[in-house]
């Protein structure tokens, strides 16, 4: 019984190999159609990294406005980078460091 199935399968494979469809109409301008389809797909979806680069000037303007507002609201800042340590906050800073906060 197994041999009959194998023989039928072999004959079906042989018949399918003999039957060759005409694909010349499908092959014509295949590359052009493929490139057009790829261009259509890329035009539909805007990648997130392109959107980020397009929004970068807006974020830069927002950051500049925030910087200007923070400087204008609190103009009495010391130019000393260690002012927090030297203005009597040594104990608090060392306690926070030792406690892991």
């Amino acid at each position: 019984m197994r041999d009959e199935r194998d023989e039928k399968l072999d004959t079906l494979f042989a018949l399918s190999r003999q039957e060759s469809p005409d694909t010349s109409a499908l092959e014509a301008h295949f590359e052009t159609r493929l490139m057009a389809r790829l261009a259509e797909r890329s035009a539909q979806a805007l990648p997130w990294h392109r959107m980020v680069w397009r929004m970068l000037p807006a974020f830069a303007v927002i950051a500049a406005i925030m910087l200007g507002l923070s400087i204008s609201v609190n103009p009495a800042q010391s130019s000393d980078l260690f002012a927090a340590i030297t203005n009597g906050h040594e104990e608090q800073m060392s306690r926070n460091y030792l406690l892991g906060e």
Side-chain angles (χ1 to χ4, degrees):
M1 183 146 182
R2 180 76 176 149
D3 295 330
E4 291 176 15
R5 289 185 198 171
D6 288 339
E7 289 175 11
K8 286 182 182 179
L9 188 61
D10 287 339
T11 55
L12 285 174
F13 282 141
L15 289 174
S16 65
R17 283 188 205 106
Q18 290 173 359
E19 188 69 33
S20 59
D22 184 23
T23 59
S24 60
L26 297 175
E27 293 172 3
H29 307 290
F30 174 74
E31 293 88 5
T32 308
R33 290 193 314 255
L34 179 66
M35 293 305 291
R37 183 174 291 175
L38 290 175
E40 180 182 341
R41 278 189 184 173
S42 66
Q44 288 175 355
L46 183 64
W48 64 270
H49 51 84
R50 282 191 190 167
M51 181 117 56
V52 168
W53 280 108
R54 287 183 180 177
M55 294 177 70
L56 188 66
F59 290 138
V61 168
I62 291 171
I65 290 171
M66 294 300 290
L67 178 67
L69 287 174
S70 68
I71 290 172
S72 66
V73 170
N74 192 7
Q77 290 181 345
S78 174
S79 62
D80 184 17
L81 295 176
F82 298 102
I85 297 172
T86 59
N87 287 341
H89 298 288
E90 300 95 357
E91 291 179 30
Q92 182 181 3
M93 294 288 288
S94 62
R95 184 175 354 112
N96 287 345
Y97 176 72
L98 292 173
L99 291 176
E101 294 178 7

